[in-house]
Amino acid sequence: MSLLQQLTADMVTAMKERDKETLNVVRMLKAAVQNEQIELGHDLNSDEEVAVMAREYKQRKESLAEFENAGRDDLVEQAKKELTIVEKYMPQQLSKDDVEKIVSEVIDTLGVDSMKGFGQVMGAVMPKVKGQADGKLVNQVVKEQLSK
């Protein structure tokens, strides 16, 4: 079942259950996927679907941080609920340990031993963890390992 079919089925379920919050989030996700299809001019493959979901997840995570900094508790709760709904459609996220293993393997493979090779390491790691790890986490792990 494609992501678009899954979103449509979940939208119907949310309508039947009269779950307005879930319905609104699923509608936004479905619209994002359809907009991406229109923009690219073809049905999305799994990598493109993951990229759309990762973008939507990141937007909500950034909104959550901004709401928390502004002290908007009412919006914080809503953003947390939206994040949990979006997480259902994301692939399983890698743990920090998994990211550290991948980064160390890439560093060993490339033979990088200083911060000068930071961009090179990031360029090699990000495609491997696309949609499975947050860029900030990868950035942090690469900096930690290169500064040793």
Side-chain angles (χ1 to χ4, degrees):
M1 180 180 281
S2 75
L3 178 62
L4 204 52
Q5 292 169 330
Q6 180 66 44
L7 288 169
T8 302
D10 291 350
M11 201 167 81
V12 170
T13 303
M15 280 186 225
K16 288 180 180 177
E17 294 175 357
R18 301 192 192 288
D19 184 356
K20 289 185 179 183
E21 287 181 356
T22 303
L23 179 61
N24 287 335
V25 174
V26 173
R27 277 185 176 154
M28 285 189 275
L29 295 175
K30 184 176 177 188
V33 170
Q34 288 175 326
N35 287 339
E36 190 74 11
Q37 278 184 335
I38 291 168
E39 190 173 310
L40 296 176
H42 61 81
D43 288 345
L44 302 182
N45 62 34
S46 61
D47 289 341
E48 292 166 337
E49 289 174 345
V50 167
V52 172
M53 288 298 113
R55 185 173 58 234
E56 293 295 316
Y57 182 78
K58 183 178 178 184
Q59 286 176 349
R60 283 165 179 77
K61 196 154 183 115
E62 289 171 354
S63 296
L64 176 63
E66 289 176 18
F67 295 150
E68 287 173 341
N69 290 338
R72 294 292 308 267
D73 296 334
D74 56 328
L75 296 176
V76 167
E77 289 305 312
Q78 181 181 352
K80 285 181 181 177
K81 288 177 185 174
E82 287 184 11
L83 267 176
T84 57
I85 295 168
V86 176
E87 283 175 348
K88 292 180 195 174
Y89 304 102
M90 295 283 295
Q92 182 66 35
Q93 297 295 296
L94 296 173
S95 68
K96 186 173 181 178
D97 292 337
D98 293 336
V99 173
E100 288 173 346
K101 288 176 188 172
I102 293 170
V103 169
S104 64
E105 288 172 7
V106 169
I107 289 173
D108 291 343
T109 303
L110 296 175
V112 176
D113 60 353
S114 70
M115 287 299 285
K116 289 180 183 177
F118 176 80
Q120 188 180 11
V121 174
M122 285 294 291
V125 171
M126 287 309 290
K128 292 183 178 190
V129 299
K130 186 174 186 171
Q132 297 177 327
D134 184 38
K136 289 181 183 179
L137 174 64
V138 175
N139 186 320
Q140 175 189 354
V141 170
V142 170
K143 283 182 180 177
E144 287 173 2
Q145 292 195 11
L146 288 178
S147 63
K148 289 181 181 177

